[in-house]
Amino acid sequence: MKLITGTTKLLGVIGNPIKHSLSPVMHNAAIAALGLDYVYVALPVAPSDLATAIAGFAAIDLRGFSITIPHKQAIIPLLNQVSDVAQAIGAVNTVWRTEQGWSGTNTDVIGFLAPLKIYDRDWSQTTAVILGNGGAARAVVAGCAQLGCAAVKVVGRDRQKLAAFQQSWVTSPIPVELSIHTWDELPSLLPDADLIVNSTPIGMHPHDQASPLEDAIATQIAQGAIAYDLIYTPSPTRFLRQAQQQGAIAIDGLEMLVQQGAAALEIWLGQTAPVEVMRQALRDYLGL
């Protein structure tokens, strides 16, 4: 067991609730593998206490921290510097301390892109269909923009929210051309989609049998398309099983979780993160 002493440096993750977070599992496994005197802990912070908590973190020399729901947007005004990608997404998930104060970025895009890089695709000729238009969808849009996808189509249920989502990218530092569509358009969108991403929570444990797609609509997924679910438990989700039945390539959210965490750890530590150790720690913990 690791001995925590007065010299141990502190990293953490904030959220509300936070007990479910798997970040301590993978980060402490990485820290142990690197032989560093650090510890990564989950820190519950209520929304009303966010500003007080950030000030306290500086006072106790916390080196850096991850951010999860519901603080990813609310923390931005409390930071001294925010990266372009985090500004475009409108959310920060990684913060570190500098001489100027707290700096923040979003490593979800790095995480999202990592498992796609092994596929030999001409992304400039691909069409991406994103299911959902919430916070997770924003990182996916930014990732598709970096890939250079020819078309990015965002699908949601509320036309007004979709319009606001589209408008928010007009002045973004990340150039992206996206179109918005309602759920009833999916039968005509899916046959031409090369990449289909579920950014909704539909199908997440304990609702293992749910899918964002009805079975009849899922049959429209093209053979050879990539179906990507940001959910990592269960694995595979019903959405991915539906896609595999149509001959699609399935990617779950575990690798995104690992890679966004590894990118954050490299910011905090200034050295390469042991990605395989982090991945295996999560797989062991989840029983995969």
Side-chain angles (χ1 to χ4, degrees):
M1 180 179 288
K2 175 180 170 57
L3 183 63
I4 297 172
T5 71
T7 63
T8 302
K9 298 176 182 67
L10 188 62
L11 298 166
V13 55
I14 66 169
N16 186 44
I18 197 62
K19 287 189 291 186
H20 68 286
S21 175
L22 299 185
S23 293
V25 174
M26 64 177 175
H27 283 302
N28 285 313
I31 288 164
L34 293 170
L36 299 175
D37 190 17
Y38 277 79
V39 66
Y40 183 104
V41 295
L43 301 165
V45 176
S48 58
D49 295 330
L50 183 60
T52 304
I54 302 309
F57 292 162
I60 64 170
D61 196 28
L62 189 99
R63 298 305 174 95
F65 57 97
S66 312
I67 303 145
T68 188
I69 295 170
H71 303 311
K72 287 188 174 186
Q73 291 82 33
I75 198 167
I76 291 176
L78 302 175
L79 303 176
N80 298 85
Q81 187 173 3
V82 177
S83 70
D84 283 350
V85 69
Q87 291 280 15
I89 296 170
V92 164
N93 78 335
T94 302
V95 171
W96 66 98
R97 188 83 180 154
T98 70
E99 290 181 1
Q100 290 73 42
W102 293 114
S103 290
T105 192
N106 192 305
T107 64
D108 283 336
V109 178
I110 295 171
F112 170 72
L113 292 175
L116 292 173
K117 290 179 178 177
I118 66 170
Y119 296 100
D120 183 21
R121 299 283 170 110
D122 180 359
W123 295 105
S124 68
Q125 301 298 313
T126 60
T127 295
V129 170
I130 302 168
L131 307 177
N133 56 296
R138 299 192 66 83
V140 176
V141 168
C144 289
Q146 287 196 23
L147 286 174
C149 292
V152 179
K153 302 180 178 183
V154 178
V155 184
R157 301 190 187 277
D158 186 314
R159 176 67 70 173
Q160 193 170 353
K161 289 180 179 176
L162 280 167
F165 184 95
Q166 184 179 41
Q167 183 61 33
S168 71
W169 290 92
V170 172
T171 57
S172 166
I174 296 176
V176 59
E177 290 286 335
L178 63 87
S179 57
I180 53 174
H181 306 269
T182 50
W183 224 254
D184 59 348
E185 296 176 63
L186 277 171
S188 63
L189 295 176
L190 291 178
D192 297 323
D194 305 287
L195 172 65
I196 307 155
V197 184
N198 177 32
S199 75
T200 79
I202 300 171
M204 186 182 293
H205 180 79
H207 306 293
D208 298 12
Q209 296 310 307
S211 168
L213 300 181
E214 296 174 10
D215 286 338
I217 293 176
T219 62
Q220 300 300 308
I221 296 173
Q223 183 174 356
I226 296 174
Y228 192 151
D229 202 329
L230 303 192
I231 296 168
Y232 52 83
T233 180
S235 179
T237 59
R238 184 179 169 196
F239 164 65
L240 291 182
R241 294 198 305 271
Q242 290 171 321
Q244 286 173 314
Q245 287 172 359
Q246 304 307 314
I249 297 164
I251 301 173
D252 69 21
L254 186 70
E255 193 63 15
M256 179 174 174
L257 177 65
V258 170
Q259 296 287 350
Q260 63 80 28
L265 200 63
E266 290 176 4
I267 290 172
W268 297 324
L269 301 180
Q271 59 180 288
T272 302
V275 174
E276 181 54 42
V277 169
M278 299 171 76
R279 184 186 298 115
Q280 193 59 48
L282 285 176
R283 294 186 65 85
D284 291 346
Y285 184 84
L286 292 168
L288 299 176

